[in-house]
Each structure stands twice: as C-alpha cells, then as structure tokens.
C-alpha cells in the first residue's frame, strides 16, 4: 500500500523551490511489478550523479537509483556518466589541474578534457558537480558547485540509509561505463565492482541490484561472478565497443533480433534498450508503432527496461510536446503510458515523480 509522506526540505532546496516547481510529497510505495529507475538520480531536478540527485529520486519513489561507474587513478569507482569530467564538474576552474587536460581516444572518438583515471579520489573530491545541460535545465544550475562526485560506496551507503528511513528497499542499478577503455588502461572496472558488491553483502540473488553494460564481453565475464541480475544495454545505432575493438562485426541490431536476444538470455536477465527500439518515431517525429522487441525479449525470458524518459519537449515525441519551446515540460505521462501499453517492465527516467504519478494512476 502506498502512502504520502512529507519531504524533508533543506534550506537550499527551499530556496530553489521558488525557482522551479518542486515535489511537495514523496511516494513511499513499492513498485513490485513495474520498476522505476532514477536515471542518474533525479537528474531532471539536480545535477546528475550527485548524492542529492540520488536522494531526491529515492524520496520521489524510485525503486532503484542509477550510478554510472568510472574509476579514479587509485581504482576507486565513482559515479560519472563518462570518464571526461569537464562537462559535469568545475574542473576547468581549477588552475592546479590545468596540466591534466588531455585529448584521448574514447571508444575510437577523440575527446578533449579531464579524465577521472588521471585523478586520485582525493583530487576528485576537491571538485564540485555542475548541471550537464544548463540550456535545458537552467533551474538545476542553482545547485552547481554544491555537491561532490560520489563514490560507489557512498551511493550504496545512501541507499541503505534511505531504505531504513523510507521503510522500503532502495535498490541500486550500477552501469559499467566504457569497460574496454578502462581495461585497456589497466584499470578494469569489473574486479572493483565485484569487490564492492561482495564487501557490502550485495552479491546475492535477493539483493535489490541490477548490473548493466553497453558492452557484451564484460557482462559475460561478470555472469559467473555475480548472483544479481545483469542487464544488456542496447542502442538504436552502432555496436558494442568490445565488438568493435575485437573486429566482431555484430551490431546492436543483431543483439535485439529474436536470435540475438536468446543469446543475451544466456548471460543476462534483462534488456535496456533505447526508447526508439521499443517504439520508433515516424517521419514526423511522432510516436510510431511498437516493434516486436518487447515480445521477443519476453519470449527469451528477459525483462525490458528502456531509457530515457524525460519531461522536456526536446526529449519527447512530437505528439507529446506541450509547445514549440524545447525547454518546456511536455506530456511525459502520455509517453510513459504508451510505452507501458507496449509491455515494458520498467524504465529509466530523469523525472521519477512523474513516472511514479503515472504508475499510481495506471493501477
Ligand atoms: O543505463 C541506461 C541508460 O542510462 C543508458 O544511457 O547514456 O544515460 O547511461 P546513459
Ligand atoms: Ca546509465
């Protein structure tokens, strides 16, 4: 049974509430059947991958919070969407780190900036997070400079504390980011991931944990080491970088074929496709007809958790836009409803509050 409880509002959040509508209640129910994942936390409302972002997602009713994982030079897993941190931290404003700016090949693409693997954890902790997309989420920029980069351990500790406080389990849904890239530098993510899960007693079947990756070989390698469910992420274009690096010509399109999904089911329990692999857009940018992906995945025994559901018009199908203004909020309720009708088992969202409200309405 769900109940509504008051949000604990910090002074900072209170100040921000005058700038952007804030949720006044939190959802405290379990989503036993439908899984709501707070994508990078509540990244629609806070700079992504900060403890504040994860905490807000949990308080809004997320079943899981989602840290993307990269590593430091001293092999500590930290939550960032990519190794380059110029886009999500204030590192560029730190003269002591100016010499760390480099151009590196990241999955075959030249990227210039600052990279987590060139910093110790102590050094990274001197930085502060900032909003990734300030042009779209200007309201989030009020939180720029206030939060550190969290370690994976700190995310686990937060999920534990909030599970106790909210009286329901807050799961974690970590993603290994650029596994081949880190393996090539002698800083493989997987041993540390297994170590941290073991250390926290989370490497067990009934732990509320999913582990996800866009690559295949690291999930296959993790399969015998982890008892928690694994999720194969896929994209509507391209190929897993471990396939590219090894000369394997298969693509994500091959993986989501009926035969490909049966292969996935040998090492994983779920599929995390991009939204358009479930329901593509038509030529006018409106939501088209569902593909057979959900049915094929279910037939293979896989749950389906697509990404990423976001409220701003710039991320919505044209028929769910509220206006021509890309930063305006549109009909995310409607988009989620259409995807739920297509049979998905859960979703990644930047706007947990809306997914939770939609879920309550759908019951
Ligand atoms: O992990 C699901 C979704 O987060 C994948 O996209 O790029 O946001 O990590 P990304
Ligand atoms: Ca992710």
């Amino acid at each position: 049974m769900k109940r509504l409880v008051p949000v604990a509002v910090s002074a900072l959040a209170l100040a921000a509430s005058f700038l952007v509508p804030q949720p006044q209640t939190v959802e405290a129910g379990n989503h036993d059947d439908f899984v709501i994942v707070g994508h990078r936390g509540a990244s629609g409302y806070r700079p992504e991958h900060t403890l504040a972002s994860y905490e807000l997602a949990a308080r809004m009713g997320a079943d899981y919070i989602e840290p993307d994982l990269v590593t430091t030079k001293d092999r500590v897993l930290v939550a960032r969407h990519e190794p380059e941190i110029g886009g999500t931290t204030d590192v560029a404003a730190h003269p002591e780190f100016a010499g760390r700016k480099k151009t590196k090949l990241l999955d075959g693409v030249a990227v210039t900036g600052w990279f987590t693997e060139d910093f110790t954890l102590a050094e990274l902790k001197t930085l502060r997070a900032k909003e990734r997309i300030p042009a779209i989420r200007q309201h989030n920029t009020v939180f720029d400079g206030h939060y550190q980069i969290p370690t994976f351990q700190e995310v686990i500790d937060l999920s534990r504390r909030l599970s106790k406080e909210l009286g329901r389990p807050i799961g974690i849904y970590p993603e290994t980011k650029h596994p081949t890239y880190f393996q090539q530098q002698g800083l493989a993510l997987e041993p540390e991931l297994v170590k941290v899960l073991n250390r926290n007693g989370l490497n067990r079947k009934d732990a509320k944990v999913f582990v996800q990756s866009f690559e295949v070989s690291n999930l296959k390698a993790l399969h015998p080491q982890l008892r928690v469910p694994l999720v194969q992420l896929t994209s509507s274009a391209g190929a897993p970088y471990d396939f590219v690096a090894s000369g394997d010509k298969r693509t994500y399109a091959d993986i989501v074929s009926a035969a490909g999904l049966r292969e996935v089911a040998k090492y994983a329990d779920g599929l995390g496709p991009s939204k358009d692999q479930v329901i593509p857009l038509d030529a006018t940018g409106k939501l088209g007809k569902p593909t057979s992906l959900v049915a094929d995945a279910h037939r293979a025994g896989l749950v389906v958790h697509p990404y990423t559901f976001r409220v701003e018009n710039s991320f919505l199908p044209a028929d769910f836009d509220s206006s021509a203004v890309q930063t305006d909020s549109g009909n995310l309720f409607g988009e989620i409803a259409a995807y739920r009708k297509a049979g998905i088992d859960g979703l990644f969202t930047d706007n947990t509050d809306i997914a939770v409200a939609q879920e309550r309405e759908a019951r």
Side-chain angles (χ1 to χ4, degrees):
M1 201 55 187
K2 295 179 174 184
R3 64 198 159 84
L4 295 174
V5 295
V7 171
V9 185
S10 70
L12 196 57
L14 188 63
S17 70
F18 295 111
L19 302 173
V20 62
Q22 294 292 305
Q24 295 303 304
T25 57
V26 294
E27 182 60 49
N30 279 318
H31 307 280
D32 289 335
D33 299 318
F34 191 74
V35 172
I36 295 175
V37 185
H39 181 249
R40 312 183 195 177
S43 49
Y45 310 101
R46 296 290 184 274
E48 66 185 41
H49 292 311
T50 58
L51 291 180
S53 182
Y54 298 129
E55 177 162 353
L56 183 56
R59 291 188 183 282
M60 285 177 162
D63 300 300
Y64 291 81
I65 50 178
E66 193 233 4
D68 291 328
L69 298 179
V70 295
T71 187
T72 65
K73 181 155 84 175
D74 43 352
R75 295 178 186 275
V76 181
L77 294 179
V78 293
R80 288 289 94 190
H81 180 259
E82 56 272 303
E84 201 289 307
I85 49 175
T88 61
T89 73
D90 62 359
V91 64
H94 283 250
E96 71 276 24
F97 296 135
R100 308 270 178 103
K101 191 173 184 184
K102 291 179 186 164
T103 299
K104 297 191 184 194
L105 265 190
L106 177 60
D107 295 359
V109 178
V111 176
T112 299
W114 293 262
F115 296 81
T116 57
E117 69 270 17
D118 295 332
F119 291 76
T120 63
L121 177 64
E123 289 170 336
L124 277 189
K125 283 289 186 184
T126 67
L127 307 180
R128 293 295 178 270
K130 68 174 188 181
E131 172 54 40
R132 172 190 294 277
I133 44 173
I136 295 177
R137 293 176 174 164
Q138 194 277 333
H139 51 85
N140 285 5
T141 64
V142 299
F143 297 99
D144 285 1
H146 290 278
Y147 306 122
Q148 294 183 335
I149 296 177
T151 63
F152 184 33
Q153 183 62 54
E154 287 170 333
V155 179
I156 292 172
D157 293 344
L158 175 74
S159 73
R160 285 218 169 102
R161 175 170 70 75
L162 291 174
S163 297
K164 270 190 201 144
E165 183 190 325
L166 299 174
R168 66 188 175 88
I170 306 299
I172 54 166
Y173 208 130
E175 178 187 348
T176 55
K177 279 292 181 194
H178 304 284
T180 295
Y181 170 82
F182 284 114
Q183 286 161 19
Q184 286 169 344
Q185 299 183 73
L187 288 167
L189 304 173
E190 296 78 15
E192 193 59 28
L193 172 66
V194 174
K195 202 155 82 184
V196 174
L197 291 177
N198 279 335
R199 190 172 69 212
N200 286 277
L202 291 172
N203 188 5
R204 53 185 166 80
K205 240 182 175 157
D206 59 342
K208 195 156 177 166
V209 178
F210 284 96
V211 169
Q212 40 163 347
S213 178
F214 275 107
E215 294 191 10
V216 174
S217 50
N218 83 316
L219 282 182
K220 284 186 172 174
L222 285 168
H223 177 57
Q225 300 179 64
L226 291 181
R227 292 177 199 95
V228 301
L230 306 183
V231 172
Q232 178 68 63
L233 298 172
T234 60
S235 171
S236 53
Y241 189 68
D242 56 322
F243 282 11
V244 175
S246 68
D248 188 325
K249 297 286 181 229
R250 287 175 297 164
T251 66
Y252 285 121
D254 296 314
I255 291 176
V256 299
S257 68
L261 293 169
R262 285 194 292 275
E263 284 302 306
V264 171
K266 292 178 182 169
Y267 61 87
D269 305 87
L271 188 77
S274 66
K275 288 188 304 187
D276 54 344
Q277 292 182 293
V278 175
I279 310 181
L281 300 181
D282 67 17
T284 65
K286 294 180 180 170
L287 211 51
K289 288 203 164 43
T291 65
S292 64
L293 181 61
V294 172
D296 293 343
H298 285 169
R299 217 169 284 123
L302 300 166
V303 295
V304 181
H305 298 162
Y307 63 90
T308 303
F309 291 83
R310 296 168 161 136
V311 76
E312 295 90 355
N313 287 335
S314 57
F315 302 114
L316 286 165
D319 39 343
F320 294 89
D321 287 352
S322 59
S323 73
V325 179
Q326 292 299 289
T327 54
D328 279 357
S329 294
N331 183 14
L332 180 57
F333 263 87
E335 188 197 32
I336 292 175
Y339 275 82
R340 292 193 64 166
K341 202 171 160 202
I344 63 172
D345 305 287
L347 51 76
F348 293 85
T349 181
D350 291 4
N351 305 94
T352 287
D353 52 345
I354 298 171
V356 168
Q358 197 283 336
E359 197 267 346
R360 294 185 73 213
E361 199 174 271
R363 282 194 166 190

